[in-house]
């Protein structure tokens, strides 16, 4: 049997002069048109836009919930298999003699900061506290809510959401792009991850559509992340200065406070993006990690370390033994309890929303992972992008969230943390732990950490958008293109906040994530096909002992 040679070149047409010099016009103009129409629609018809987005959100949960559950399970099991299988695990991205570009610390710092840093700060307290009151085990009556017995179920579900599934989604996209770029010589852009399936058809409209889907998903995925981040940032600023205009009647950050925070973050992001990945983003990522470990050390010393360590080890054990069932379980919509609440918990409130969020964030994070992972083996890459970040999240959730739960269980909090909005629950826990002077200092530290994470996510996203739209060229782009996409991201977040707050942003993200979810699955299939065919070529070369060109192997 003759095995055709792999595709090692993909011609993506880019402009040769003018404003779009170096950019693929089809994907760039198509992406801009969709984003501009979204901004205009949400700005001019803000009330109608917010209502329609919420309707679409409900429909997508019910119609595509099973798809998200099983697609993400496929992604995780595939990544683990590629790492564990000896023949694929030892494959080095870029070739056997390539050395990594970044140190392990900087590599991990950039991955963690771009991948999940903001969400970790928001949800390391908010999610355990929520699951302490309600999770599938309390819904079916297996354990009592808000009790010591609830702790194990809290972390079984929190770890499920922030563990291998989230990072596997990012990791698979990055692995496919890195392999096809560094080992095949294809452009470092989304369409290259589909090359074994569609070949040269990706040089035309089909490839443009893949890149457009990635751009839209990226913008809306980052919008959700920044939306959560600026909400928590504004809440922290209010805790420090106490200005009444910074909160609304419900005690949540006001629209004005969030808009000012948005402009501050995006202005800094555009400046950082203009300096490139080797300067601004690298240094900000290292600062992120130092500040993160500083805050974590505070909870290690002054929090509830005994509760945290017990929750960490039991949580990891429960996560491992329950993961296959959790990953493959879907609760359909129902009018009967407890099935009705289980459906809402999984599809509306937590799991399906998270899976869509990770998918929407995956083009940006995955391409960024690929950009910084040249020289790593597949096994090393999977460990660095899936296992270690998962463990880092688990530590954060047990030490920070565990402290908050312990404050509630002991009666110190008196329900105050449970009653606070998710953007302020970390601050509420800190306020109970220290005096007012130290509290303001710690709040300032969290605010700085949030700001650096926000800037890192936004500026990395702007650079990645330009990389996708320029046919994989990761070189520094003209400032005008950086400003446009930074401004477009700011406008999308701003108009959606006006249209319906964070709910409108999350609803728009769900729409943007759906097309790219199919692309990720196809990327996984394409990567397996490429690795299997490489193994067959290598086997045939060993058999005939001649080293025939790939196209002549029988």
């Amino acid at each position: 049997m003759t095995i055709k040679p792999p595709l090692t070149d993909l011609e993506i047409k880019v402009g040769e002069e003018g404003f779009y010099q170096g950019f693929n016009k089809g994907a760039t103009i198509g992406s801009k048109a969709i984003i501009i129409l979204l901004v205009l629609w949400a700005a001019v018809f803000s009330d109608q836009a917010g209502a329609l987005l919420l309707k679409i959100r409900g429909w997508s949960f019910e119609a595509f919930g099973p798809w998200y559950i099983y697609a993400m399970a496929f992604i995780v099991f595939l990544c683990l298999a590629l790492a564990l299988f000896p023949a694929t695990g030892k494959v080095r991205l870029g070739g056997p003699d390539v050395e990594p570009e970044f140190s392990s610390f900087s590599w991990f710092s950039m991955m963690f900061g771009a991948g999940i840093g903001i969400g970790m700060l928001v949800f390391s307290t908010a999610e355990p506290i929520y699951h302490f009151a309600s999770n599938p085990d309390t819904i079916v009556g297996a354990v009592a809510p808000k009790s010591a017995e609830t702790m194990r179920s809290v972390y079984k579900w929190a770890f499920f959401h922030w563990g291998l599934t989230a990072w596997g989604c990012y990791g698979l996209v990055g692995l496919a792009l890195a392999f096809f770029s560094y080992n095949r010589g294809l452009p470092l852009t989304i369409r290259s991850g589909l090359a074994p399936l569609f070949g040269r058809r990706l040089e035309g409209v089909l490839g443009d559509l893949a890149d457009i889907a990635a751009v839209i998903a990226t913008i809306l995925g980052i919008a959700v992340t920044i939306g959560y981040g600026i909400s928590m940032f504004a809440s922290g600023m209010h805790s420090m200065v106490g200005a009444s205009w910074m909160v609304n009647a419900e005690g949540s950050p006001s629209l004005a406070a969030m808009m000012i925070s948005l402009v501050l973050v995006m202005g800094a992001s555009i400046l950082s993006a203009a300096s490139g990945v080797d300067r601004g983003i690298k240094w900000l990522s290292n600062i992120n990690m130092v500040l993160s470990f500083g805050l974590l050390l505070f909870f290690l010393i002054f929090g509830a370390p005994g509760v945290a360590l017990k929750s960490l080890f039991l949580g990891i054990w429960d996560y491992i033994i329950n993961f296959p069932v959790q990953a493959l379980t879907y609760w359909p919509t129902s009018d009967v309890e407890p099935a009705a609440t289980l459906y809402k918990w999984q599809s509306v409130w937590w799991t399906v929303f998270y899976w869509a969020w990770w998918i929407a964030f995956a083009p940006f994070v995955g391409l960024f992972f690929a950009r910084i992972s040249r020289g790593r083996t597949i096994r090393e890459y999977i460990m660095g992008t899936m296992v270690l970040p998962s463990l880092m999240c688990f530590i954060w959730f047990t030490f920070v969230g565990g402290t908050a739960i312990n404050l509630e269980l002991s009666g110190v909090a008196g329900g105050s943390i449970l009653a606070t909005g998710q953007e302020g629950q970390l601050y509420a826990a800190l306020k109970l732990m220290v005096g007012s002077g130290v509290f303001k200092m710690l709040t300032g530290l969290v605010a700085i950490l949030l700001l650096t994470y926000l800037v890192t996510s936004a500026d990395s996203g702007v650079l990645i958008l330009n990389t996708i739209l320029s046919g994989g060229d990761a070189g520094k782009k003209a400032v005008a293109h950086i400003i446009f996409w930074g401004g477009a991201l700011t406008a999308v977040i701003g108009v959606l906040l006006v249209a319906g707050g964070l709910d409108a942003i999350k609803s728009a993200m769900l729409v943007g994530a759906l097309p790219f979810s199919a692309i990720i699955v196809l990327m996984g299939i394409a990567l397996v096909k490429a690795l299997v065919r490489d193994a067959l070529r290598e086997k045939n070369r060993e058999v005939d002992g001649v080293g025939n060109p790939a196209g002549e192997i029988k």
Side-chain angles (χ1 to χ4, degrees), residues 172-191:
L172 180 59
V173 174
L175 180 58
L177 296 180
F179 178 82
F180 290 117
S181 178
Y182 303 142
N183 296 67
R184 288 283 193 268
L186 300 179
L188 187 60
T189 191
I190 299 300
R191 69 180 76 190

Short mmCIF file of all heavy atoms in Angstrom, two decimals, residues 172-191:
data_model
loop_
_atom_site.label_atom_id
_atom_site.label_comp_id
_atom_site.label_asym_id
_atom_site.label_seq_id
_atom_site.Cartn_x
_atom_site.Cartn_y
_atom_site.Cartn_z
N LEU A 172 -5.20 20.28 23.37
CA LEU A 172 -5.35 19.61 22.08
C LEU A 172 -5.20 20.59 20.93
O LEU A 172 -4.54 20.29 19.93
CB LEU A 172 -6.71 18.91 22.01
CG LEU A 172 -6.98 18.16 20.69
CD1 LEU A 172 -5.93 17.10 20.44
CD2 LEU A 172 -8.38 17.55 20.70
N VAL A 173 -5.80 21.76 21.04
CA VAL A 173 -5.66 22.76 19.98
C VAL A 173 -4.20 23.15 19.82
O VAL A 173 -3.66 23.19 18.71
CB VAL A 173 -6.52 24.01 20.29
CG1 VAL A 173 -6.25 25.11 19.27
CG2 VAL A 173 -8.00 23.65 20.28
N GLY A 174 -3.53 23.42 20.93
CA GLY A 174 -2.12 23.80 20.86
C GLY A 174 -1.24 22.70 20.32
O GLY A 174 -0.31 22.95 19.54
N LEU A 175 -1.52 21.46 20.71
CA LEU A 175 -0.72 20.33 20.25
C LEU A 175 -0.87 20.13 18.75
O LEU A 175 0.13 19.93 18.04
CB LEU A 175 -1.15 19.06 21.00
CG LEU A 175 -0.40 17.78 20.64
CD1 LEU A 175 1.09 17.92 20.88
CD2 LEU A 175 -0.97 16.60 21.43
N ALA A 176 -2.10 20.19 18.27
CA ALA A 176 -2.32 20.02 16.83
C ALA A 176 -1.62 21.12 16.03
O ALA A 176 -0.93 20.84 15.04
CB ALA A 176 -3.82 20.03 16.53
N LEU A 177 -1.76 22.35 16.47
CA LEU A 177 -1.14 23.46 15.75
C LEU A 177 0.38 23.39 15.81
O LEU A 177 1.07 23.65 14.81
CB LEU A 177 -1.64 24.79 16.32
CG LEU A 177 -3.14 25.06 16.16
CD1 LEU A 177 -3.49 26.41 16.77
CD2 LEU A 177 -3.54 25.03 14.69
N ALA A 178 0.92 23.04 16.98
CA ALA A 178 2.37 22.95 17.12
C ALA A 178 2.93 21.83 16.24
O ALA A 178 3.95 22.00 15.57
CB ALA A 178 2.74 22.71 18.58
N PHE A 179 2.25 20.69 16.24
CA PHE A 179 2.74 19.57 15.43
C PHE A 179 2.72 19.90 13.95
O PHE A 179 3.71 19.70 13.24
CB PHE A 179 1.88 18.32 15.70
CG PHE A 179 2.28 17.14 14.87
CD1 PHE A 179 3.35 16.34 15.25
CD2 PHE A 179 1.61 16.83 13.69
CE1 PHE A 179 3.73 15.24 14.47
CE2 PHE A 179 1.98 15.75 12.91
CZ PHE A 179 3.04 14.95 13.30
N PHE A 180 1.60 20.42 13.46
CA PHE A 180 1.50 20.68 12.02
C PHE A 180 2.35 21.88 11.60
O PHE A 180 2.76 21.96 10.44
CB PHE A 180 0.04 20.89 11.62
CG PHE A 180 -0.77 19.62 11.70
CD1 PHE A 180 -1.83 19.51 12.57
CD2 PHE A 180 -0.45 18.53 10.90
CE1 PHE A 180 -2.56 18.34 12.66
CE2 PHE A 180 -1.17 17.35 10.98
CZ PHE A 180 -2.23 17.25 11.87
N SER A 181 2.64 22.76 12.52
CA SER A 181 3.51 23.89 12.18
C SER A 181 4.98 23.52 12.27
O SER A 181 5.74 23.72 11.32
CB SER A 181 3.20 25.07 13.11
OG SER A 181 4.06 26.16 12.83
N TYR A 182 5.40 22.94 13.40
CA TYR A 182 6.81 22.69 13.63
C TYR A 182 7.30 21.39 13.01
O TYR A 182 8.48 21.27 12.65
CB TYR A 182 7.10 22.68 15.13
CG TYR A 182 6.70 23.95 15.83
CD1 TYR A 182 6.13 23.93 17.11
CD2 TYR A 182 6.86 25.19 15.22
CE1 TYR A 182 5.76 25.09 17.76
CE2 TYR A 182 6.49 26.37 15.86
CZ TYR A 182 5.93 26.31 17.12
OH TYR A 182 5.56 27.46 17.76
N ASN A 183 6.44 20.40 12.88
CA ASN A 183 6.85 19.11 12.32
C ASN A 183 6.44 18.94 10.86
O ASN A 183 6.96 18.05 10.19
CB ASN A 183 6.27 17.97 13.14
CG ASN A 183 6.80 17.93 14.56
OD1 ASN A 183 6.52 18.83 15.34
ND2 ASN A 183 7.56 16.91 14.91
N ARG A 184 5.53 19.74 10.40
CA ARG A 184 5.08 19.65 9.01
C ARG A 184 5.42 20.89 8.19
O ARG A 184 5.35 20.86 6.97
CB ARG A 184 3.56 19.44 8.96
CG ARG A 184 3.08 18.07 9.39
CD ARG A 184 3.32 17.06 8.28
NE ARG A 184 2.61 15.83 8.54
CZ ARG A 184 3.13 14.79 9.18
NH1 ARG A 184 4.38 14.86 9.62
NH2 ARG A 184 2.41 13.70 9.38
N GLY A 185 5.76 21.98 8.87
CA GLY A 185 6.10 23.20 8.16
C GLY A 185 4.90 24.01 7.70
O GLY A 185 5.04 24.91 6.86
N LEU A 186 3.71 23.72 8.24
CA LEU A 186 2.51 24.46 7.86
C LEU A 186 2.41 25.76 8.66
O LEU A 186 3.03 25.90 9.72
CB LEU A 186 1.26 23.61 8.09
CG LEU A 186 1.19 22.28 7.31
CD1 LEU A 186 -0.09 21.53 7.67
CD2 LEU A 186 1.26 22.53 5.82
N PRO A 187 1.64 26.72 8.18
CA PRO A 187 1.49 27.99 8.91
C PRO A 187 0.90 27.77 10.30
O PRO A 187 0.07 26.88 10.51
CB PRO A 187 0.54 28.80 8.03
CG PRO A 187 0.62 28.17 6.68
CD PRO A 187 0.88 26.72 6.92
N LEU A 188 1.32 28.60 11.25
CA LEU A 188 0.82 28.49 12.62
C LEU A 188 -0.52 29.21 12.72
O LEU A 188 -0.65 30.29 13.29
CB LEU A 188 1.82 29.10 13.60
CG LEU A 188 1.52 28.93 15.10
CD1 LEU A 188 1.47 27.46 15.47
CD2 LEU A 188 2.55 29.66 15.94
N THR A 189 -1.54 28.57 12.17
CA THR A 189 -2.89 29.13 12.21
C THR A 189 -3.90 28.00 12.25
O THR A 189 -3.55 26.83 12.00
CB THR A 189 -3.14 30.07 11.01
OG1 THR A 189 -4.35 30.78 11.22
CG2 THR A 189 -3.21 29.29 9.71
N ILE A 190 -5.13 28.32 12.58
CA ILE A 190 -6.14 27.31 12.91
C ILE A 190 -6.35 26.30 11.79
O ILE A 190 -6.42 25.09 12.02
CB ILE A 190 -7.47 27.97 13.29
CG1 ILE A 190 -7.28 28.86 14.52
CG2 ILE A 190 -8.54 26.92 13.54
CD1 ILE A 190 -6.82 28.14 15.76
N ARG A 191 -6.44 26.76 10.57
CA ARG A 191 -6.76 25.86 9.47
C ARG A 191 -5.72 24.75 9.29
O ARG A 191 -6.05 23.67 8.80
CB ARG A 191 -6.92 26.65 8.16
CG ARG A 191 -5.66 27.26 7.61
CD ARG A 191 -5.91 28.03 6.32
NE ARG A 191 -6.55 29.33 6.55
CZ ARG A 191 -7.03 30.09 5.59
NH1 ARG A 191 -6.97 29.69 4.33
NH2 ARG A 191 -7.56 31.26 5.87
#
